[in-house]
Amino acid sequence: MNVLDRIKTQVENNPIIIYMKGTPQFPQCGFSSRAAAALQDCGQKFAYVNVLADPEIFENLPRYADWPTFPQIYINGELVGGCDIILEMHASGELQKAVADAAPKASTENSDNA
Amino acid sequence: MGYRYNLQLVIQIFSHTMKIQVKITDKLMQAFSPMHLEVLNESHMHNVPEGSESHFKVTVVSEQFADSPLIKRHRAVNQVLSGEIRQAIHALALHTMTPEEWFSKGGRSPDSPPCLGGDKTGLQAKRQGALAEKLT
């Protein structure tokens, strides 16, 4: 599958997904670490892709949604933003609401097929 | 002679790299007519050679951001700095506010994270990671 199609499938099949450097357990960048912690704090399941372990996605994700940096967070298939936006939304409560609204779908869908 | 040559080279490299911070500042001034603009070189916080211009924190306070969601503001800044982001910048922390938002936040923007994920926000990553699901 073409890498852009692969990304499209991932963001469409996973209502809450973060593309990050490292993993939520072992983040390898301060920005990715904070964004993953904010998502984690929302208390719902989410998917992640370690872009450092997938060179093809690392190279091509910036042109998928025309966003040049990592991490990138998608909710219901839409790019929500990077670290600074996610933290600001977390501080205002907007992130918790968006994640909660997306979550019922997250629990009923199978995200292994991405 | 060797010493003098090296010194000149160092000065050349220094003035070349210094231009990135100046360029960022110029471009943002022109594009957003900001009431307040901070372009901080935070490269020293990271594992890069001394004098690098790889990591920046940018705070833009502009009336132009009124009624515009964060993602649109960030896209606008990314667009203006697209050349620098492609060629030179490794990390860009971005804080975009209207003057009202800037004042209501006490006239300061959040600190950038330290290099490898330590945390000052109080948001500690829960190491068990039970909620996160890996995609392959």
Side-chain angles (χ1 to χ4, degrees):
Chain A
M1 199 193 295
N2 167 306
V3 60
L4 293 183
D5 288 338
R6 195 150 69 89
I7 294 168
K8 190 165 186 278
T9 308
Q10 288 175 341
V11 302
E12 284 176 355
N13 288 352
N14 297 279
I16 307 157
I17 180 168
I18 176 170
Y19 291 86
M20 63 182 291
K21 291 184 174 177
T23 70
Q25 295 77 47
F26 297 103
Q28 294 186 44
C29 154
F31 296 99
S32 285
S33 171
R34 280 192 182 173
L39 271 187
Q40 191 98 19
D41 191 62
C42 294
Q44 302 289 344
K45 272 178 75 173
F46 62 94
Y48 72 89
V49 172
N50 176 2
V51 297
L52 297 178
D54 195 324
E56 208 183 27
I57 288 186
F58 181 82
E59 283 296 318
N60 290 282
L61 185 63
R63 68 189 174 102
Y64 176 74
D66 189 26
W67 191 263
T69 50
F70 302 104
Q72 296 188 16
I73 296 88
Y74 293 78
I75 296 180
N76 287 333
E78 290 256 332
L79 176 67
V80 175
C83 172
D84 299 314
I85 291 181
I86 287 298
L87 288 190
E88 190 144 330
M89 288 175 70
H90 180 267
S92 71
E94 214 182 318
L95 182 67
Q96 292 84 331
K97 191 179 172 307
V99 163
D101 288 349
K105 278 193 286 169
S107 58
T108 55
E109 276 177 21
N110 171 18
S111 48
D112 286 336
N113 56 0
Chain B
M1 279 308 274
Y3 171 74
R4 189 180 286 171
Y5 175 77
N6 284 342
L7 186 65
Q8 226 162 37
L9 188 69
V10 167
I11 290 169
Q12 259 177 25
I13 292 169
F14 187 68
S15 57
H16 171 73
T17 55
M18 275 306 285
K19 279 182 191 153
I20 297 167
Q21 190 168 16
V22 175
K23 245 192 232 171
I24 294 173
T25 307
D26 284 354
K27 287 188 172 179
L28 294 175
M29 285 298 280
Q30 280 196 15
F32 299 103
S33 314
M35 181 209 90
H36 179 73
L37 175 66
E38 283 173 36
V39 180
L40 284 182
N41 181 353
E42 295 189 325
S43 306
H44 61 91
M45 289 161 60
H46 301 270
N47 189 19
V48 292
E50 220 176 301
S52 290
E53 290 194 296
S54 54
H55 295 67
F56 285 95
K57 171 181 161 180
V58 167
T59 304
V60 190
V61 182
S62 170
E63 291 283 6
Q64 291 181 31
F65 293 139
D67 302 321
S68 171
L70 279 177
I71 190 149
K72 261 184 105 173
R73 301 178 188 184
H74 282 226
R75 278 196 190 282
V77 174
N78 287 339
Q79 181 66 39
V80 168
L81 301 181
S82 62
E84 286 67 32
I85 291 172
R86 205 169 43 241
Q87 288 158 16
I89 302 177
H90 173 78
L92 181 64
L94 205 48
H95 304 286
T96 51
M97 293 170 242
T98 63
E100 291 73 24
E101 291 163 350
W102 171 246
F103 288 123
S104 78
K105 284 173 187 177
R108 61 186 302 273
S109 53
D111 291 337
S112 297
C115 187
L116 273 184
D119 210 307
K120 289 181 195 156
T121 59
L123 272 176
Q124 290 297 326
K126 290 169 189 140
R127 296 290 161 179
Q128 72 273 22
L131 294 168
E133 183 171 7
K134 183 188 181 190
L135 295 187
T136 50

